[in-house]
């Protein structure tokens, strides 16, 4: 598989376990930042009645398309070009928007845009599901997350582990309410928001 991510391989099963508690059996899910497509392939196998719409920036899309074509799944839609800086949802309302390890990679303003986009695209009671590390009360949950944050900032000063409280404020402004905050393996969280 081109663009294979060991992290995606490690976390796909724990994420699926949480998703299974919350997704309707026939959910229509938009994944923002699908990478190599490992989660799309795993989730559509785990939940054969859901429809999964993967997305990526244009530069990454050829890898995603090639991987999805190689491991065919009849409930994955053709991948969407999605650049958070310039994208408006115009399709049917979604049951869920999902993003894993995106918020700390993109800039803070693009992370806010991701939350706004989810609020615009979701059905009433639809879910935004965000997986990744967060700071609480300005503090990292572990020393390894602090080191990871520094590594991210060295690579791109606009990236970094985000503040949980700032995310809550953005969500509240868009009509999304946090319903669950799950502690996940490798010092990550799975945050579940519901659209009013």
């Amino acid at each position: 598989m081109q663009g294979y991510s060991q992290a995606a391989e490690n976390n796909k099963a724990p994420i699926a376990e949480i998703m299974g508690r919350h997704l309707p059996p026939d959910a229509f899910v938009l994944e923002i930042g699908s990478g190599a497509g490992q989660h799309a392939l795993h989730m559509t196998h785990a939940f054969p009645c859901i429809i999964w719409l993967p997305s990526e920036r244009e530069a990454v899309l050829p890898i995603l398309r090639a991987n999805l074509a190689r491991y065919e799944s009849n409930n994955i839609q053709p991948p969407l070009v999605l650049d958070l800086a310039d994208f408006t949802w115009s399709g049917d309302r979604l049951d869920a928007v999902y993003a894993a390890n995106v918020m700390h990679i993109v800039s803070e303003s693009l992370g806010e845009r991701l939350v706004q986009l989810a609020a615009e695209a979701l059905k009433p009671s639809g879910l935004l599901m965000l997986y990744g590390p967060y700071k609480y009360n300005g503090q990292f949950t572990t020393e390894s997350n602090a080191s990871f944050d520094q590594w991210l900032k060295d690579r791109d000063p606009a990236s970094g582990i985000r503040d949980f409280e700032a995310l809550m404020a953005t969500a509240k402004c868009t009509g999304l309410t946090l319903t669950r905050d799950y502690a996940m393996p490798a010092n990550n969280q799975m945050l579940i928001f519901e659209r009013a």
Side-chain angles (χ1 to χ4, degrees):
M1 175 178 278
Q2 296 181 63
Y4 175 87
S5 162
Q6 188 59 53
E9 199 63 26
N10 294 346
N11 61 34
K12 66 186 185 183
I15 290 171
E17 198 273 321
I18 297 296
M19 280 192 160
R21 301 181 197 178
H22 294 274
L23 285 180
D26 59 349
F28 181 18
V29 182
L30 168 65
E31 180 184 16
I32 297 177
S34 299
Q38 286 159 263
H39 284 186
L41 291 164
H42 183 79
M43 302 309 169
T44 53
H45 178 75
F47 309 113
C49 294
I50 69 172
I51 300 298
W52 195 274
L53 176 56
S55 72
E56 254 303 346
R57 292 170 297 118
E58 196 156 13
V60 184
L61 213 63
I63 291 173
L64 176 60
R65 280 197 182 115
N67 289 338
L68 295 180
R70 185 175 165 202
Y71 301 95
E72 278 192 37
S73 174
N74 59 10
N75 51 339
I76 300 180
Q77 294 198 337
L80 193 65
V81 178
L82 196 160
D83 184 338
L84 286 168
D86 182 28
F87 183 82
T88 303
W89 178 255
S90 58
D92 293 338
R93 293 288 166 188
L94 301 164
D95 295 297
V97 173
Y98 165 68
N101 294 324
V102 172
M103 296 295 281
H104 57 270
I105 299 296
V106 301
S107 68
E108 196 162 0
S109 63
L110 289 183
E112 290 171 357
R113 178 62 196 133
L114 189 157
V115 175
Q116 291 163 357
L117 170 62
E120 293 162 8
L122 287 168
K123 295 176 179 176
S125 302
L127 304 176
L128 170 60
M129 312 177 97
L130 296 176
Y131 174 88
Y134 292 91
K135 289 187 288 185
Y136 291 80
N137 298 311
Q139 303 297 311
F140 295 103
T141 56
T142 62
E143 285 190 20
S144 63
N145 275 2
S147 300
F148 180 49
D149 181 72
Q150 190 57 57
W151 180 84
L152 288 166
K153 287 181 163 62
D154 289 345
R155 186 175 145 271
D156 175 4
S159 65
I161 294 177
R162 303 300 171 204
D163 284 303
F164 174 82
E165 291 77 16
L167 177 57
M168 292 307 101
T170 300
K172 186 176 180 182
C173 288
T174 62
L176 295 171
T177 303
L178 183 75
T179 58
R180 294 299 297 265
D181 178 356
Y182 291 98
M184 301 292 284
N187 309 312
N188 289 297
Q189 307 296 130
M190 180 68 136
L191 307 180
I192 313 279
F193 298 87
E194 187 172 319
R195 183 175 180 267

